[in-house]
Amino acid sequence: MDIVEKEKWYHKNIFVELVFFLSMYVLTMLHEMMQIDTFIGFSKGLVFFLILYAQAQLHRFFIFPLFLDKRYLRYALFSLAFTILGAITLFLPDYYWIDPELYQNTAVLLSLIYCCALCIISTTTIMSFFLIRKYSIELRKRHEAQLLLNEMNIKLLHAQMNPHFFFNTFNNLYGVSLTEPQRVPELILKLSNLMRYQLENGRKTNVSICEEVNFIENYIIMEKERIGKRCEIAFRFPKLSDPICQHRIAPMLLITLVENAFKHSLTITNKWFVHIDITVTNNTLKLHIVNSIADESLKTYSTGIGLVNISERMELLYKGRYHFETSSTTQEYRTCLTLKLNPY
């Protein structure tokens, strides 16, 4: 089941609007309830309320968007015009049908001012409700977006390591055990560290840069066992001193780019290589990967979902604090990522 559930029935617009309509009607007509003892009296009260409610809703749907678009002068002019129009619309049935005795014994100007005040009060009340509800909806959407992000990260992390990599690695371990059995324990330990890192650190919000680089290093060591004799692999990174390790990074953020370099670099007609450089200076991490272009006959089909996922993830987690670009020639493919790191 998804973390974010389907919208509750009591959050639906129709239900909320109906509840608000009834609440506003009761509050508006509360002082008249004792006097409404006939159907005609009820009808008069309902018409009175509907006029106020309708002009307030017209303001909400047709005039308030001008304010949101920052067209303030036009908003002020239309608000004034609609308030006066609403007051006149309210005044006429009041004067001739709803309560003629009250209005016909009062100056027309004062009656219009009174109707304007009623229109302003009803508009203010409904707009206040609308803005409060809109704010609560935005908060709920942000909360749901965060839950979706967490769910996406969890699914991404579970699918991050390609099962074929582990399958091939175990095959390589079997081959090494036949020729160099003394090296098997070390390789098993490396593979164990990869799996442990994924399970234990994959769900954390962030990890130290040292942990992430060690994970990448173990991954590359296993790749060297698989293809090292056929592919020139270079992995350069700074000495992991304490100042560098004080920075934090989202776990398994870089591994997708490293995996792609190995996955899409296979060639037999040209030099097969994967060069990976990681530097950390001035609180900024730079990942630079250069790999060979795969032969057409050896290219692995790719949906591009890996790069899309990492772009979306960086946009969510490091918006405004990263730069990501790729480029290619006929001989090589380059990937560059610059990322502002999080300290402890």
Side-chain angles (χ1 to χ4, degrees), residues 3 6 36 43 56-57 93-94 105 110 112 142 152 178 191 200 238 249 251 268 276 290 300 314 316:
I3 292 177
K6 188 178 180 180
I36 299 177
S43 300
Q57 291 289 16
D94 279 351
N105 294 327
L110 290 177
L112 285 173
R142 289 183 184 181
M152 182 189 73
L178 297 178
L191 183 60
E200 295 181 357
I249 189 173
I268 56 176
I276 304 168
V290 183
T300 303
M314 287 189 294
L316 289 168

Side-chain angles (χ1 to χ4, degrees), residues 201-319:
N201 293 347
R203 300 192 182 195
K204 293 181 180 179
T205 304
N206 52 63
V207 296
S208 73
I209 193 66
C210 292
E211 293 175 296
E212 187 72 3
V213 170
N214 283 333
F215 171 73
I216 294 173
E217 184 179 18
N218 285 333
Y219 174 84
I220 292 174
I221 288 174
M222 300 306 295
E223 283 287 10
K224 284 182 177 179
E225 291 297 325
R226 185 171 69 89
I227 60 174
K229 294 180 180 179
R230 294 171 291 159
C231 175
E232 179 185 287
I233 301 175
F235 179 43
R236 293 179 287 272
F237 59 92
K239 183 179 180 181
L240 296 179
S241 59
D242 289 339
I244 293 178
C245 290
Q246 289 177 352
H247 294 290
R248 313 291 289 178
I249 189 173
M252 302 186 71
L253 185 66
L254 310 179
I255 190 63
T256 301
L257 302 177
V258 175
E259 281 186 299
N260 278 345
F262 284 100
K263 183 178 179 181
H264 302 292
S265 62
L266 178 58
T267 176
I268 56 176
T269 58
N270 297 299
K271 181 181 179 182
W272 183 9
F273 63 91
V274 177
H275 299 162
I276 304 168
D277 287 277
I278 296 178
T279 59
V280 181
T281 55
N282 298 325
N283 301 330
T284 300
L285 179 143
K286 292 183 179 181
L287 172 66
H288 186 221
I289 302 176
V290 183
N291 58 268
S292 52
I293 298 292
D295 294 340
E296 284 295 330
S297 59
L298 300 175
K299 280 186 177 180
T300 303
Y301 173 75
S302 174
T303 61
I305 192 66
L307 292 180
V308 172
N309 282 343
I310 194 172
S311 296
E312 291 179 352
R313 196 171 176 216
M314 287 189 294
E315 185 66 18
L316 289 168
L317 298 175
Y318 295 96
K319 186 176 180 64

